[in-house]
Amino acid sequence: GRAVKRLEIVIEHEKIEALLRTAREKKIEPVWVASGEESGMGSVSMLVENAESQKVIDAFYGMLGPQGRIVLSDPEAVLPLPDRQDDQGQKVAREVATREELFEEVEKGARLGPQYFLLVGLSTLVAAIGLLRDNVAVVIGAMVIAPLLGPNLALALGTALGDGELTSKAITTSLAGIAAAALLSLVIGGLWPGSVETAEILARTDIGLDSVVLALASGAAAALSLTSGLSSTLVGVMVAVALLPPLAASGLLAGQGRLQPAGGALLLLLVNVVCVNLAANLVFLRKGIRPRTWLQRKKASQSMRLSLLVWLLSLLALVTAILSRRM
């Protein structure tokens, strides 16, 4: 990955000197200035190491006025190449996403609108056909377009930042998506002329402790991909595997009155949702994803503790239910 990010700060002209002093204190270079005395605004651009970008943003954020802006971007290339170090103790630049980049990436997945419902409907329809036809390739196609990962990661990030608005939006979007997928698969199951108990569907009703481990690993991988600044497409597919197929299988079975196996598929869905959120919370906590100010951090810390407690207790209850079903 790229070793640096480009940081451009639009600020009042009279504050540029103070900003440059701060940059020099932090040994940031190169720095170049576009003066704007006539408009009263100017801009300062700089290159910062990925690992230091969050600290630099926080240092300059308090200097912004009402019209000030910070623009963060990835340069296509930087020459000469930055020095890297090997495993013998020298420092190597890391890909690290700032909280602002995380928020921008994750918040989109929590938006509730026509496109979200369209994707939920299409992915559920594709998943249902794949499950009913025992066609793994079709089920994988549903996994690719399923949008159920987004709201869960948004919920975990909202908790880590103590952002009540993002958390509320994520919960609403997630519940709406699950309800829409469940209703559609229930209707398909009721209208399907043959038996819905195919091998692909029955596989989603057999849940064990290995399912818990898989869901935890998938959630952790998704959160790590985001915090590392890497593409989460592949990981998103992995998590979609864990969420959409059991949801569709549960609805299809319930549509034909097969409530006991439908309960098993629903239990798998609940385990996966809980594990994905728990793992993502732990990764965000380990990576130090938190708000900027002390007051916000205190609020976020309380939010994170409560969230971890809820998810851990929920997982304990679900594991108990799994073990009781297998007796």
Side-chain angles (χ1 to χ4, degrees), residues 155-163 277-291 296-312:
L155 176 57
L157 183 63
T159 301
L161 297 178
D163 190 325
N277 279 278
L278 175 59
N281 272 336
L282 290 173
V283 169
F284 288 147
L285 182 65
R286 176 67 181 82
K287 289 286 188 176
I289 304 300
R290 55 183 182 174
Q296 290 174 324
R297 289 177 182 177
K298 184 177 180 181
K299 179 182 176 182
S301 178
Q302 295 172 342
S303 171
M304 180 65 84
R305 284 198 296 267
L306 177 60
S307 178
L308 288 174
L309 179 61
V310 169
W311 292 129
L312 284 170

Side-chain angles (χ1 to χ4, degrees), residues 212 216 271 274-275 278 310-320:
V212 175
L216 285 170
V271 165
V274 169
C275 288
L278 175 59
V310 169
W311 292 129
L312 284 170
L313 291 177
S314 299
L315 182 58
L316 180 61
L318 291 170
V319 168
T320 303

Side-chain angles (χ1 to χ4, degrees), residues 5-225:
K5 295 182 185 295
R6 180 184 178 187
L7 194 67
E8 183 171 0
I9 303 171
V10 179
I11 195 169
E12 284 91 343
H13 184 268
E14 61 268 17
K15 295 182 180 179
I16 290 181
E17 283 301 323
L19 190 148
L20 292 175
R21 283 197 301 271
T22 302
R24 285 192 293 269
E25 290 171 2
K26 295 187 173 295
K27 299 180 181 179
I28 300 172
E29 55 181 356
V31 175
W32 57 100
V33 180
S35 178
E37 293 187 53
E38 295 181 0
S39 64
M41 301 293 292
S43 68
V44 178
S45 298
M46 61 194 73
L47 297 176
V48 297
E49 292 186 8
N50 285 336
E52 302 297 323
S53 55
Q54 186 67 76
K55 295 179 181 179
V56 174
I57 289 174
D58 290 347
F60 292 138
Y61 188 86
M63 304 178 71
L64 298 178
Q67 299 180 352
R69 296 292 184 271
I70 294 180
V71 181
L72 188 68
S73 60
D74 286 320
E76 289 296 324
V78 177
L79 297 174
L81 295 176
D83 292 334
R84 289 173 177 264
Q85 296 180 341
D86 54 24
D87 295 332
Q88 305 303 318
Q90 292 190 342
K91 186 177 178 181
V92 179
R94 299 181 288 131
E95 284 285 355
V96 180
T98 64
R99 83 172 70 85
E100 289 78 11
E101 290 175 298
L102 282 174
F103 187 91
E104 182 71 19
E105 179 71 21
V106 170
E107 189 273 336
K108 293 183 290 187
R111 295 175 186 173
L112 188 62
Q115 182 174 336
Y116 177 77
F117 282 113
L118 180 60
L119 284 174
V120 168
L122 291 173
S123 59
T124 303
L125 181 60
V126 173
I129 294 174
L131 292 170
L132 291 169
R133 294 294 187 184
D134 266 340
N135 191 321
V136 178
V138 175
V139 176
I140 293 174
M143 296 168 187
V144 173
I145 61 176
L148 299 180
L149 169 66
N152 285 279
L153 289 178
L155 176 57
L157 183 63
T159 301
L161 297 178
D163 190 325
E165 183 179 352
L166 179 60
T167 300
S168 176
K169 184 190 298 185
I171 292 174
T172 301
T173 302
S174 182
L175 291 177
I178 290 174
L183 180 60
L184 180 56
S185 57
L186 188 70
V187 171
I188 295 173
L191 297 177
W192 190 255
S195 172
V196 298
E197 294 186 336
T198 64
E200 282 292 316
I201 289 179
L202 292 178
R204 269 79 188 183
T205 65
D206 184 20
I207 179 173
L209 295 181
D210 57 332
S211 303
V212 175
V213 176
L214 174 62
L216 285 170
S218 298
L224 279 171
S225 72

